[in-house]
Amino acid sequence: MTAHKSAPPGFYSIEIGDSTFTILERYQNLRPIGSGAQGIVCKDNVAIKKLARPFQNVTHAKRAYREFVLMKLVNHKNIIGLLNAFSPQSSLEEFSDVYLVMELMDANLCQVIQMDLDHERLSYLLYQMLCGIKHLHSADIIHRDLKPSNIVVRTDCTLKILDFGLARTAGGSFMMTPYVVTRYYRAPEVILGMGYQENVDIWSVGCIFGEMVRARRSCSLAPTTSTTGHAGPEFLARLNTAVRNYVQNRPKYQPWPFEQLFPNDYFRQTARSTAA
């Protein structure tokens, strides 16, 4: 990391990786935590995220605006909290950077999935995911990008959802883009270009939980049909002609029994490292 002297009053600039961060002087001793959703960490127990090129086009500007507004308005213990927001630029003509200061968590769910979790911890993490999503859906907000890297936890097993750049309001007459949700966690109606609502977030939560239980990632439509079975006539009738032909021409599978996908021995009552 390399410090720079040139910065507006009250700020200082520093190179972290391949990015320059111009930060309020109150945030010192910065250290990178990778390219994930929380950006960089400072010693004051907060996470600072620099929005990547938020104004390069209309799409990026909308995503930056959504994330800022939703983090400002949503108040729930399982949704990441916005503590501060600032820009080093002092005029509208120069305005180009936005920094969000958030609660600092210990890890994201990608790291937690690799751990040896018992039934109690798995259940508590799932419960918190569903509580956070229920709160969003009660406000007619669809997250649309739920995945392990957008879910963060503390060592005490508390969980929070973050990254609202792709979130949208449910309902309305507009056509929502089909290119949302990282592919491993996309619901069939998203993959197949159908209309969708809040239930796409529930599908994503199911995929995440299945990955936590099995420590194995599903991938796109083919493994979905090979696991859940071929689509029935009512579902096929909802598809446009081209998509319907594609689905009908795929290999036919019978659904796997739940007991075979998730046998009881996947749900241990206690972690091996702890007492019962």
Side-chain angles (χ1 to χ4, degrees), residues 61-127:
K62 285 182 177 179
R63 289 181 179 178
Y65 177 75
R66 287 174 194 152
E67 181 162 21
F68 177 79
V69 170
L70 286 174
M71 290 183 67
K72 179 70 174 176
L73 295 179
V74 176
N75 181 19
H76 189 270
K77 64 181 181 179
N78 297 123
I79 305 294
I80 200 73
L82 180 67
L83 305 177
N84 192 11
F86 62 86
S87 171
Q89 290 87 40
S90 58
S91 68
L92 183 61
E93 291 74 23
E94 298 174 319
F95 187 34
S96 61
D97 297 324
V98 177
Y99 295 82
L100 305 179
V101 183
M102 300 169 286
E103 302 168 271
L104 175 62
M105 306 293 282
D106 295 311
N108 64 40
L109 212 57
C110 294
Q111 299 159 292
V112 174
I113 286 173
Q114 307 304 318
M115 299 171 62
D116 192 22
L117 300 175
D118 60 18
H119 184 277
E120 182 179 2
R121 290 177 175 83
L122 284 171
S123 300
Y124 186 45
L125 291 171
L126 175 62
Y127 170 75

Side-chain angles (χ1 to χ4, degrees), residues 28-48:
Q28 294 289 330
N29 297 338
L30 304 180
R31 61 179 179 86
I33 58 172
S35 57
Q38 290 214 82
I40 60 172
V41 176
C42 37
K43 74 170 186 177
D44 297 321
N45 292 324
V46 295
I48 301 177

Side-chain angles (χ1 to χ4, degrees), residues 73-222:
L73 295 179
V74 176
N75 181 19
H76 189 270
K77 64 181 181 179
N78 297 123
I79 305 294
I80 200 73
L82 180 67
L83 305 177
N84 192 11
F86 62 86
S87 171
Q89 290 87 40
S90 58
S91 68
L92 183 61
E93 291 74 23
E94 298 174 319
F95 187 34
S96 61
D97 297 324
V98 177
Y99 295 82
L100 305 179
V101 183
M102 300 169 286
E103 302 168 271
L104 175 62
M105 306 293 282
D106 295 311
N108 64 40
L109 212 57
C110 294
Q111 299 159 292
V112 174
I113 286 173
Q114 307 304 318
M115 299 171 62
D116 192 22
L117 300 175
D118 60 18
H119 184 277
E120 182 179 2
R121 290 177 175 83
L122 284 171
S123 300
Y124 186 45
L125 291 171
L126 175 62
Y127 170 75
Q128 291 178 93
M129 278 189 268
L130 292 174
C131 286
I133 290 303
K134 181 180 186 300
H135 184 77
L136 292 176
H137 290 178
S138 297
D140 290 329
I141 297 168
I142 311 176
H143 188 284
R144 303 202 307 171
D145 195 22
L146 286 173
K147 54 187 176 182
S149 60
N150 284 344
I151 299 172
V152 287
V153 297
R154 289 199 177 104
T155 53
D156 63 359
C157 215
T158 56
L159 175 148
K160 295 179 185 287
I161 297 167
L162 49 71
D163 203 337
F164 298 96
L166 287 177
R168 288 291 294 270
T169 302
S173 58
F174 56 82
M175 177 64 181
M176 288 195 287
T177 174
Y179 193 72
V180 294
V181 187
T182 301
R183 64 175 182 168
Y184 300 117
Y185 311 99
R186 285 181 192 153
E189 53 265 47
V190 176
I191 297 173
L192 297 173
M194 304 167 61
Y196 59 85
Q197 290 294 324
E198 296 97 327
N199 53 354
V200 300
D201 285 341
I202 303 302
W203 177 279
S204 299
V205 170
C207 292
I208 294 167
F209 186 63
E211 188 174 330
M212 292 169 65
V213 172
R214 294 173 55 87
R216 184 184 306 169
R217 175 175 287 170
S218 61
C219 177
S220 197
L221 184 63

